[in-house]
Amino acid sequence: MFLALNELLGVSVEQPERSKLTLLCATKTDASFLVHHFLSFYLKAGCKVCFLAVVQSFNHYSIVAQKLGVNLITAKEQDQLVFFEGLKSANHVLFGGVQETDDTSPFQFISGDGSNLKVLYEFVQTALSPAASGDPWKCPVLIVDDLSVFLSLGVRLMDILNFIHYCRVTVNSQLKGNLVLMVHSSEDSEDEENELLVKSLRHQCNSILWAEGLATGYCKEVHGQLTIIERSPWESRAARDLQRIYQYKIQDKNVTFFARGMSAAVL
């Protein structure tokens, strides 16, 4: 995890917040550092994590997590991490040759009309439900590394929203846990369904971390801009959302943040 980002968000591994939906948005940039941060943060916080990975492999996340001080293999062995590798599962469903069948795979929907995410939801529900003998973990967390990919796989917008609704009821409301969802967005995008997905999630979430590429293009010392939006509570929606804007530079094992135009390279 990145300590500087924890400070900006006002959170700590000692007392992670609960019943929150955090939306991670990426516009014309790779914002995967945000996914890596929340994965390592919640594992270090002692939470039970179900990770739906649809854009990268387990090995990729494991290598990055090691740099951030987290061992995903150990977390899996201790049943703290349930890692669903979407790329591998999709290959199993489409090309077969393994014991897993289309009916039992959480990704079985890609062999149909993309309308049934029930099996995927049941996978999440089973992964995060407390064990009968008692669960040593603080709270359950669901992380999805890119919901926008589901649209590319043929899943209908309404079915994605229904899936998120049921996950929120189970994880946020019943289990008092957290959801962290990544999406890609662009104001000039011609993908209307994806933008509707983003808008819907923006209305539901508690906070938004929006990473954007610089309007001026590539810069060696400033890799992008991060807007942090804290949504006002539902009971006081008349109040304005709190919005803060920073620029950032990604390093090998860290990310540094600074006010716009205040990079050491610029000054």
Side-chain angles (χ1 to χ4, degrees):
M1 65 179 179
F2 306 117
L3 294 178
L5 186 53
N6 282 348
E7 293 178 2
L8 294 180
L9 297 175
V11 298
S12 69
V13 294
E14 287 76 21
Q15 292 184 318
E17 296 180 283
R18 307 189 66 167
S19 299
K20 285 195 64 176
L21 170 56
T22 301
L23 182 63
L24 312 178
C25 291
T27 299
K28 298 180 180 179
T29 191
D30 177 13
S32 59
F33 74 94
L34 295 174
V35 177
H36 294 301
H37 168 79
F38 281 98
L39 174 60
S40 59
F41 171 82
Y42 282 117
L43 289 176
K44 284 189 175 183
C47 298
K48 176 68 175 286
V49 177
C50 177
F51 190 101
L52 302 183
V54 296
V55 294
Q56 292 289 357
S57 66
F58 175 80
N59 287 339
H60 168 82
Y61 284 106
S62 181
I63 291 172
V64 177
Q66 280 189 321
K67 294 182 178 180
L68 301 180
V70 176
N71 191 317
L72 297 192
I73 296 176
T74 300
K76 285 183 65 176
E77 292 174 348
Q78 295 177 345
D79 199 32
Q80 183 186 9
L81 171 66
V82 177
F83 192 100
F84 176 72
E85 198 163 353
L87 295 175
K88 183 180 294 185
S89 183
N91 183 65
H92 291 171
V93 172
L94 293 175
F95 302 105
V98 294
Q99 294 180 353
E100 187 178 36
T101 66
D102 289 358
D103 293 331
T104 60
S105 168
F107 250 38
Q108 56 84 24
F109 60 85
I110 65 175
S111 63
D113 63 358
S115 62
N116 188 2
L117 295 182
K118 181 181 178 181
V119 178
L120 184 61
Y121 163 72
E122 291 174 344
F123 174 85
V124 173
Q125 184 183 41
T126 301
L128 294 179
S129 294
S133 58
D135 201 325
W137 313 115
K138 288 182 181 177
C139 69
V141 178
L142 171 63
I143 302 177
V144 185
D145 66 0
D146 197 344
L147 268 179
S148 299
V149 171
F150 283 81
L151 290 171
S152 301
L153 292 173
V155 184
R156 295 186 295 238
L157 173 62
M158 187 54 63
D159 293 305
I160 297 176
L161 294 176
N162 286 338
F163 170 71
I164 296 302
H165 169 74
Y166 282 107
C167 287
R168 289 200 66 195
V169 170
T170 299
V171 181
N172 283 156
S173 300
Q174 297 177 0
L175 302 177
K176 306 303 180 185
N178 302 314
L179 268 68
V180 180
L181 310 174
M182 166 68 82
V183 291
H184 279 75
S185 177
S186 178
E187 292 182 354
D188 57 0
S189 172
E190 296 182 358
D191 190 342
E192 294 182 3
E193 279 200 329
N194 186 75
E195 296 313 302
L196 286 173
L197 172 63
V198 175
K199 288 180 180 179
S200 176
L201 294 175
R202 287 184 66 179
H203 286 294
Q204 298 181 48
C205 68
N206 302 101
S207 59
I208 304 170
L209 278 67
W210 200 304
E212 302 174 86
L214 297 177
T216 53
Y218 173 77
C219 175
K220 183 179 180 181
E221 298 297 332
V222 183
H223 293 155
Q225 178 171 288
L226 180 67
T227 301
I228 300 175
I229 304 173
E230 296 292 342
R231 304 294 309 281
S232 58
W234 286 107
E235 59 270 18
S236 59
R237 274 305 189 207
R240 284 191 173 186
D241 297 336
L242 176 62
Q243 178 173 303
R244 295 168 290 154
I245 300 177
Y246 304 91
Q247 290 181 334
Y248 62 86
K249 178 182 180 181
I250 300 175
Q251 300 164 318
D252 185 40
K253 298 181 180 180
N254 195 22
V255 178
T256 55
F257 298 90
F258 36 84
R260 286 183 292 183
M262 297 299 290
S263 166
V266 176
L267 297 176

